[in-house]
Amino acid sequence: MKTLIIIAHPESRDSNTQQFLISSVEALDKVDIHYLDENTVNKSEDQKLVLSYERIIFQFPMYWYSAPYQLKKWIDEIFDDSFIKNLKGKELGLVVTMGLSKEDFSAGRSEKFTLSEIFRPFEALANKCQMTYLPIFPVDLFSYLKEEDQKKLLVDYQIYVSNENNHSFKSKETWFLNRLKELSGKNKLNKEQVNHVIESLTNNRDTLDDLLILVQEMRSGDE
Amino acid sequence: MKTLIIIAHPESRDSNTQQFLISSVEALDKVDIHYLDENTVNKSEDQKLVLSYERIIFQFPMYWYSAPYQLKKWIDEIFDDSFIKNLKGKELGLVVTMGLSKEDFSAGRSEKFTLSEIFRPFEALANKCQMTYLPIFPVDLFSYLKEEDQKKLLVDYQIYVSNENNHSFKSKETWFLNRLKELSGKNKLNKEQVNHVIESLTNNRDTLDDLLILVQEMRSGDE
């Protein structure tokens, strides 16, 4: 599965948060980045580009409850009825950076509406294109996070953009294992340490599998 | 009360629907039109322009479940924290033209989401600016309407942009009366005919007032 991250940020080079996110995925083999601020829109080329990926991510800062206009301009210019037929079955994800806490987005809070509601136009677009709409990945107040929490977020982000199945815990684990094996193969990590981590993850996984089977048996007994 | 209609249509001069709508309000004294396709954005001038009106209408064709990017570009460029403080108490309305039936916008239908959901970002923006968000005015499949239905829609549209209180039936009637008096004063209509209509509307209104009082009395008796 290949992922294209489309970045709609008027000044992504000057944004610390964007730079952190981008540098965390640059090493991933099957992830590419396309900047909307630097490329002029070329309808047929951009259409071809999008069609060569299975997962499309729109990554942008929230400006006035939507993406910066550059993303809408790009959509208005390259989307048409024949193009969207070819998007069927692909995935659409949103990575939204914001200067407010995600807790502020709910009924009774200052922003009143949830992020799911605010980004409904993208969900409606995914629906129209018969794409699978992924859960939104909010990045709120990144600069205020402790270093450890930033690192955790970056790992979750790597998983969001490149994990085959976003919804399953088991596949998240598989993602970790593959990633470790990859890095180990490239001699970027100490081999012994890596093998130790892989071994312990694999053991945990076997235990987890056993537990899952047990839970399933208990459930079927209930019915 | 003065109304500013901000038109975000890449080719409004070539759109029959836009031309019908625009020509129906050109004669209204307190309604002005601002085209985003012809004016380059001038931040301080556009801010000043908006602040001199009490009702702001965004009028646009629906493109991919939102406004054309020109509107978002304008918002991204002129909205800032100090500007939005001055919008408090004003009204925000949306006039949305579309090539699909408004019936298609609901759960279980092709477009899956209601117009209220799709335009949530504008409602969130109104909330942020402490503006009153008016009900959306959808103009669907205008060219396919019978002439009589087009005329009815245009009257409803005139009321939407210029009526002091969009929600009250009584104020809708007052709007009609004032409009008739205005036209009659300008000698644009046959005076006797107009006086006849005004008289009958006024009589109906007296009856309506009596009925409203009666209903209120009955209600308070119930409590």
Side-chain angles (χ1 to χ4, degrees), chain A residues 7-150:
Chain A
I7 298 186
H9 190 301
E11 290 151 342
S12 60
R13 303 284 179 197
D14 295 332
S15 156
N16 277 334
T17 309
Q18 290 296 333
Q19 287 310 311
F20 266 109
L21 294 171
I22 292 162
S23 61
S24 80
V25 294
E26 272 173 346
L28 298 177
D29 288 334
K30 294 178 175 174
V31 176
D32 292 317
I33 290 176
H34 181 69
Y35 292 92
L36 292 189
D37 55 334
E38 291 173 6
N39 294 285
T40 51
V41 182
N42 181 314
K43 184 169 174 171
S44 67
E45 268 181 32
D46 285 5
Q47 286 184 340
K48 231 182 275 174
L49 179 76
V50 170
L51 294 180
S52 58
Y53 293 85
E54 286 78 43
R55 179 173 295 166
I56 313 299
I57 308 280
F58 293 158
Q59 180 169 314
F60 54 83
M62 192 197 287
Y63 281 7
W64 303 114
Y65 309 99
S66 185
Y69 79 87
Q70 285 87 347
L71 180 58
K72 189 66 196 335
K73 182 168 188 280
W74 181 80
I75 292 173
D76 285 354
E77 290 178 5
I78 86 152
F79 277 53
D80 62 32
D81 287 344
S82 70
F83 174 61
I84 65 171
K85 276 183 200 137
N86 298 318
L87 296 174
K88 187 175 171 176
K90 295 183 187 295
E91 295 175 321
L92 179 66
L94 306 182
V95 173
V96 184
T97 60
M98 47 199 190
L100 284 170
S101 161
K102 60 188 170 207
E103 319 301 332
D104 291 334
F105 292 86
S106 84
R109 298 271 187 187
S110 67
E111 307 309 309
K112 203 172 162 182
F113 304 108
T114 61
L115 293 173
S116 294
E117 286 172 283
I118 285 171
F119 292 107
R120 206 69 94 199
F122 290 99
E123 190 178 356
L125 183 65
N127 173 58
K128 186 71 164 188
C129 302
Q130 297 181 266
M131 296 173 86
T132 302
Y133 187 63
L134 301 178
I136 295 166
F137 189 90
V139 181
D140 59 331
L141 303 167
F142 185 81
S143 334
Y144 298 95
L145 291 181
K146 287 182 219 146
E147 204 186 323
E148 198 192 311
D149 292 330
Q150 289 189 338

